[in-house]
Amino acid sequence: SAVTSYKYAISGTMLTNTSDSSYVERMKEIDPDMDIDAFVVQLSTNDATNGMPLGEISDNDEYDDTTIVGAMETIISYVKDTWNCPIVFYTGTYYEAMVDKLFELKDKWGISVVDLWNNEELKSMCLSGEIKSYMKIKYGTENESDPIHPNANGYKELWTPVFEKT
């Protein structure tokens, strides 16, 4: 079946609500009357590389969206209230503490997770260096691979099969 997707990603932005371009702020600009079948969110590595606080899972309906966990809960709550559709987060292959918290949120909220972090095949490829040919070339270098962003073959041959399985 055909899929119509809308990509709201902006390079270099973060989950944490610390600027007008955060995931949280951009999500609020999406038409609340749009018919959405699923809402997919990438677990942002920019938050970790910029040293944003991890935060804690809330025990009420108030979330500190200036923390990574609070921003994730803000997004989950807003999507459930606004579109009432399935929510899928996907991990990268870095930043274990964020992934651990995401799985706690999965249990709390009933969201889905496409787990690239714990994928043994991808982890093995990372450790052996084999994954480098599937990753983009790091900006400003001639041949140094970016450890976070796949190239077209990386998406097609490595990530998409994991998405399809999930």
Side-chain angles (χ1 to χ4, degrees), residues 15 43 68-76 89 98 102 105:
L15 283 161
L43 191 60
I68 295 166
V69 172
M72 288 191 288
E73 286 204 273
T74 298
I75 291 167
I76 294 166
F89 274 77
M98 289 172 59
L102 178 60
L105 290 175

Side-chain angles (χ1 to χ4, degrees), residues 21-161:
S21 64
S22 75
Y23 284 29
V24 171
E25 290 303 314
R26 290 194 328 268
M27 170 190 65
K28 293 176 182 175
E29 295 174 6
I30 300 170
D31 182 355
D33 296 322
M34 186 181 284
D35 185 19
I36 297 178
D37 294 319
F39 197 90
V40 180
V41 182
Q42 180 179 12
L43 191 60
S44 169
T45 55
N46 293 324
D47 290 270
T49 58
N50 283 291
M52 302 310 293
L54 185 60
E56 295 297 328
I57 294 175
S58 175
D59 57 4
N60 57 43
D61 62 356
E62 294 184 16
Y63 318 107
D64 179 359
D65 64 10
T66 64
T67 70
I68 295 166
V69 172
M72 288 191 288
E73 286 204 273
T74 298
I75 291 167
I76 294 166
S77 176
Y78 184 88
V79 170
K80 283 186 175 288
D81 290 347
T82 305
W83 297 288
N84 192 29
C85 65
I87 302 163
V88 181
F89 274 77
Y90 67 96
T91 73
T93 51
Y94 285 82
Y95 308 112
E96 183 175 12
M98 289 172 59
V99 175
D100 291 344
K101 286 293 188 184
L102 178 60
F103 275 96
E104 290 180 43
L105 290 175
K106 177 183 188 237
D107 293 340
K108 175 181 177 179
W109 289 93
I111 62 172
S112 296
V113 174
V114 176
D115 185 10
L116 301 168
W117 170 261
N118 290 299
N119 182 293
E120 291 305 320
E121 179 184 2
L122 294 179
K123 189 75 74 178
S124 172
M125 291 177 76
C126 284
L127 294 173
S128 73
E130 181 184 354
I131 202 162
K132 288 181 180 181
S133 65
Y134 293 96
M135 305 304 281
K136 288 184 177 179
I137 300 299
K138 190 180 281 185
Y139 181 75
T141 70
E142 288 187 29
N143 63 0
E144 185 180 349
S145 67
D146 177 331
I148 296 169
H149 302 99
N151 59 28
N153 282 338
Y155 278 114
K156 180 180 176 185
E157 297 176 25
L158 300 181
W159 285 28
T160 297

